[in-house]
Every structure is written in structure tokens, then in C-alpha cells.
Amino acid sequence: MFSKILIANRGEIALRVIRACRELGIQTVAVHSTADTDAMHVRMADESICIGPPSGTLSYLNVPNIISACEITGAEAVHPGYGFLSENAQFVQVLEDHDIKFIGPTAEHIRIMGDKITAKDTMKKLGVPCVPGSDGGVPTIEEAFKVSDAMGYPVIVKATAGGGGRGMKLAKTREDLEEAFFSARSESKAAFGNDEVYIEKYLTLPRHIEVQVFGDGKGRAVHLGERDCSLQRRHQKVFEEAPGPAIDAGTRARIGKICADAVAGINYAGAGTVEFLYENGEFFFIEMNTRLQVEHPVTEAIFGVDLVKQQIRVAAGEEMAFRQEDLIIKGHAIEVRVNAEKLPNFTPCPGKIKTFHAPGGLGVRMDSALYDGYTIPPHYDSLIAKLIVTGTTRQAALARLRRALGELIVEGVDTTLPLFDALLDEPDIQSGDYDIHWLEKWLDAQSEA
Ligand code: ADP
């Protein structure tokens, strides 16, 4: 086992990893920008080291400085959290060259899944059902028309390098295609330095269902059921739950096995998420994330496992702690993402926290790096807290969420908290009857009212 791990991240996810390390008796090193000197992850780690100015590009994405921080502190492994360098194959390669272990899959697996066209092709060959679409990249507008006319509209043009909902454009009809094609390309070029796009059938009423997988890197893998993350705004998740309200045990076992077998087939190591759109009882693969997800706590809650500890164990060469038959779902869990944003337009709202009070009690987990008097810097993502509740049933979890939201106090900045109180009043949320467009439609209706 490692004796010291460096966490190449900030905020709640850095704390999450520090907590796992502490329980395993592993020393921790926090890295931080000059804007994060007073951040909670810096206070909580055993050691900390400044790696650059506020801009993420110059600090949390600064590979040479992170390598130097490992060398200065003697850290033997790096946990990347999510975002920043977590899906950067080149970073993994550089770590390997310096004999530092990356807590995650191999550079090759990150590269394969990071390119969505290659990912789809790989998964298709491994027996995973995919969204119908172009066979690989679509280099010209003539080709785009050929593929889309044959498939029928609506279609969605997607960047192979895409992520975070960027580089994705909908063409409802043939008339929209040219604009969608060129704007997806230019957005992708600007954001990712790559303008390759592909085309998929646009599914009109799907749910976003993702399967948590875990591999030992030696050909063995399990699944830990699914999460329903259909409640999204601008393709960004805001409310996630497990198990999925629309998925029964038989369906779960079937798609779970397909995913576990697929990742076992490539000797995948550590945690991964296979994302699908689910419509009319059918699953369609869209992408795989080769890292821990923001919403991993709902899976931890219903399976009673610590995914971060398992990631660390597997990276250290130990055996995976569970077999498929050990993984049994107990209860229902929901996570809501609290952002420092002003409603109704979700405008980022950094600033000083006057009061922070976390809810507690049975079945409540709060993953947050806030504290009284903390100033949220303007340079990073606006996620400030994740509230996760567990109940014996979905109804119990919903009631607990309402109770916990009533206890949670964040004063000093605007947050997205009022959104969740309002959502809990909606019959569709209470019954679990929603798809990926539900939230956008609801928000539009609210702003018109
Ligand atoms: P990103 O990597 O940018 O998050 P994804 O491929 O995971 O992109 O897609 C994000 C979201 O975009 C999905 O959860 C879904 O809401 C929507 N989406 C993606 N592909 C399709 C499709 N073929 N049809 C309908 N919606 C889609």
C-alpha cells in the first residue's frame, strides 16, 4: 500500500479523497493555487504545496508543477479526482515516466474513451448497444447530409473530443443541419483544439442512465448498478438518484453484465462509468468516463462501499474487495448539486460565506468544502456542496431530502438550493417520471409564469 498520496484537485472532491486516505492510514498532500491558500482541502491534508496562480490552467492543470510537488513531498501516487487532469492521458504518461502511480485506469484506456468515436467503436465491438449514427467521423457537410438523410431527423452533431456538454448541436430538421454541423465543429475546435465531429440519431424522450463499473486491471470487473441522471440543465446534471426509478432488477442485471464484461474484456482498472440514453426499454451507449463521477456517492450509499478506497487499493496492486454476488442494493439514494449561482439564470455567484450549517441525522451525507467565513474564489467550477440522502425506499429518500434541505444553511452567496425545494413539490419528481428534457422544460415554464 502507498504511504503518501498527492491529490491533484480542490474543493469537495479533494476532501473526499483525503477522507479515504486517512481511514487507510495514508499520508496526504494537497496542492493549491494562490487563490486557494485558505481552502478546506489545504487545511485538512497532512501537507500542502502551492502549484501556481489562480488560473486553473496555471495551477491545477500545471503538470510540471504537480510532478515537482510529488518529488518534493515524496508522494508515491496521485489521485486526480474528477475534472482537471482526471482524464488526461498525457498526464498519466508523464506520471508513469516519473515512477509515480496514477490512481485510475491506464493512459491507453483514457485515450480510447476520451475520443468518443473510438470509444463508441470499441464498445460496439465489446457488445455494448450504441446510439445509431455515423460510422466514425463526418468530415464534410455533404457526408453529414448523406448520413442524416438516411437516418432521418432530428440528429445531433457531436464533437469526438467533447465533454461537459460542449461541441454538441441539435438539428431538428434538414434545414438546421448545416448550421449545427459548422457550429459544433468550431465550438469543438475552440474548446478542445479538435474539430472532428460525428452524427447520432437524436433521441427525443430518453433518460440518462449510467452504469458504475469497477475493474481489477487483470480481466475481472463488476458493476454497481445504475444511476439516473436525467435531470439536467444544459447537459449538466443537477439531481441524481440510484437505483433508477425506471429500471427493474432484471434490466439492471442485464445491462450491468454487458458493461462489466465489456470493461473486463479490455482489462480495465479502477472505477468507470458507462453512460447510456435509455428509451422505450432500450439502452444506447453515449460515452464512458474513466474516472470517479461527481455523483458516485449515491452508488456508495446503496451498496455500502467506499469507491475511493477501492480505487486506491486496486492502484496499489491489491485485489478488488468485492465479487458481483457480494454487491446487493439496500435502499435508495439521491444527490443534489448545490452551486453558488443566482437563480433564475444560474449566474455564478462567488463570494464570502457568512454562515454555513450542514444538515445531519440518519441517512444524510454532506460533501462540501465550505466553512464559515470562507470566500469562494471566482476562478473555478461553481459546485460548492453535494447533499446526499439515503432512505429505505425512494419515498423515504425524498422525504429525507426535504427534511435535510430545511436544515441546510448557506448564507452570504446565492445558491441553487431553492430549486430543489421547488422540484420536490412536483408530482413528476415525486413519481420519478422524468426524462432528459424535463428540467429544461420546467425551467422555461417557471420563467414564463
Ligand atoms: P458530454 O461528454 O459533453 O457530457 P454526452 O455524450 O455524455 O456529452 O451527452 C451529454 C448529454 O447530452 C446526455 O446526457 C443527453 O442529455 C444529451 N445527448 C447526448 N447525445 C444525445 C442523443 N443522441 N440524443 C439525445 N440527447 C443526447
Side-chain angles (χ1 to χ4, degrees):
M1 183 45 77
F2 308 116
S3 52
K4 196 186 271 189
I5 290 176
L6 180 141
I7 298 119
N9 217 304
R10 63 182 301 283
E12 68 84 21
I13 196 60
L15 291 192
R16 169 69 192 87
V17 178
I18 292 170
R19 286 176 172 138
C21 289
R22 195 141 288 163
E23 290 179 20
L24 289 168
I26 299 169
Q27 294 281 304
T28 53
V29 180
V31 292
H32 66 91
S33 70
T34 50
D36 272 344
T37 311
D38 295 327
M40 190 67 136
H41 74 285
V42 176
R43 295 180 173 201
M44 209 144 112
D46 297 303
E47 285 171 71
S48 67
I49 194 157
C50 182
I51 50 164
S55 145
T57 319
L58 299 173
S59 53
Y60 297 101
L61 291 168
N62 187 329
V63 174
N65 286 6
I66 292 171
I67 301 286
S68 302
C70 289
E71 289 185 339
I72 291 164
T73 57
E76 307 149 74
V78 171
H79 196 299
Y82 52 70
F84 292 125
L85 294 166
S86 61
E87 289 176 295
N88 186 316
Q90 213 182 335
F91 175 57
V92 178
Q93 198 64 59
V94 176
L95 286 176
E96 263 170 39
D97 296 344
H98 286 78
D99 250 346
I100 303 162
K101 186 77 194 160
F102 176 75
I103 301 173
T106 59
E108 193 206 347
H109 287 156
I110 295 177
R111 210 170 280 127
I112 291 172
M113 297 304 168
D115 181 273
K116 292 188 179 183
I117 292 175
T118 316
K120 252 183 111 169
D121 194 43
T122 307
M123 287 307 221
K124 209 165 163 183
K125 289 189 180 126
L126 289 162
V128 177
C130 295
V131 188
S134 60
D135 214 1
V138 178
T140 62
I141 185 68
E142 292 76 27
E143 184 77 11
F145 274 117
K146 212 168 115 195
V147 172
S148 310
D149 288 348
M151 202 156 50
Y153 296 84
V155 300
I156 185 164
V157 185
K158 295 171 78 169
T160 190
R166 279 180 302 174
M168 222 177 337
K169 298 287 170 196
L170 167 65
K172 279 192 183 143
T173 63
R174 193 171 203 276
E175 286 63 52
D176 302 333
L177 185 63
E178 192 160 338
E179 155 88 31
F181 179 78
F182 288 109
S183 68
R185 272 178 54 155
S186 59
E187 193 173 303
S188 178
K189 180 85 189 164
F192 312 106
N194 175 346
D195 68 358
E196 188 171 26
V197 296
Y198 61 107
I199 296 181
E200 276 181 356
K201 179 88 195 146
Y202 182 75
L203 302 178
T204 47
L205 289 171
R207 301 181 78 119
H208 174 113
I209 304 287
E210 55 183 39
V211 177
Q212 176 72 55
V213 291
F214 204 96
D216 69 355
K218 301 173 220 160
R220 219 162 62 80
V222 296
H223 72 85
L224 292 95
E226 79 288 352
R227 296 182 283 260
D228 189 324
C229 313
S230 302
L231 289 175
Q232 304 179 354
R233 178 180 173 268
R234 301 202 172 155
H235 305 302
Q236 300 269 18
K237 302 159 189 168
V238 303
F239 173 114
E240 303 103 344
E241 59 182 312
I247 306 296
D248 62 29
T251 308
R252 172 173 311 116
R254 180 172 61 81
I255 194 66
K257 183 164 179 350
I258 289 173
C259 295
D261 288 350
V263 298
I266 55 170
N267 294 332
Y268 187 82
T273 298
V274 187
E275 297 194 336
F276 294 94
L277 295 176
Y278 178 71
E279 194 173 64
N280 298 328
E282 271 191 273
F283 286 93
F284 302 98
F285 170 78
I286 45 173
E287 68 162 343
M288 176 167 179
N289 290 322
T290 51
R291 55 168 167 84
L292 196 68
Q293 303 266 100
V294 176
E295 60 275 19
H296 76 278
V298 292
T299 300
E300 295 189 321
I302 61 166
F303 284 98
V305 301
D306 183 323
L307 286 170
V308 178
K309 277 191 196 167
Q310 294 307 322
Q311 286 186 298
I312 295 170
R313 287 211 167 104
V314 165
E318 291 185 11
E319 289 302 314
M320 210 159 60
F322 31 64
R323 293 162 302 171
Q324 191 65 55
E325 55 270 33
D326 302 329
L327 293 164
I328 294 160
I329 295 179
K330 221 173 137 208
H332 194 97
I334 302 173
E335 172 182 285
V336 296
R337 299 191 190 192
V338 185
N339 289 355
E341 287 170 356
K342 192 173 168 61
L343 297 172
N345 296 323
F346 296 84
T347 326
C349 198
K352 188 167 177 169
I353 300 290
K354 276 205 255 140
T355 312
F356 171 62
H357 174 77
L362 186 65
V364 176
R365 166 175 172 181
M366 189 83 205
D367 279 19
S368 171
L370 292 187
Y371 59 86
D372 284 349
Y374 171 65
T375 299
I376 302 165
H379 316 282
Y380 314 106
D381 193 86
S382 56
L383 179 78
I384 50 168
K386 303 187 313 204
L387 171 59
I388 305 105
V389 295
T390 316
T392 48
T393 61
R394 185 169 188 274
Q395 281 317 305
L398 286 165
R400 188 158 279 156
L401 178 59
R402 198 188 281 279
R403 187 272 288 171
L405 284 167
E407 290 177 25
L408 174 56
I409 300 171
V410 182
E411 276 173 1
V413 299
D414 282 297
T415 73
T416 50
L417 275 169
L419 170 70
F420 302 113
D421 290 317
L423 284 180
L424 284 174
D425 290 334
E426 288 297 324
D428 288 346
I429 301 299
Q430 287 292 331
S431 63
D433 185 15
Y434 53 79
D435 58 52
I436 59 168
H437 305 297
W438 191 95
L439 184 61
E440 295 267 8
K441 279 187 213 149
W442 182 83
L443 288 167
D444 285 347
Q446 300 296 110
S447 64
E448 279 158 23

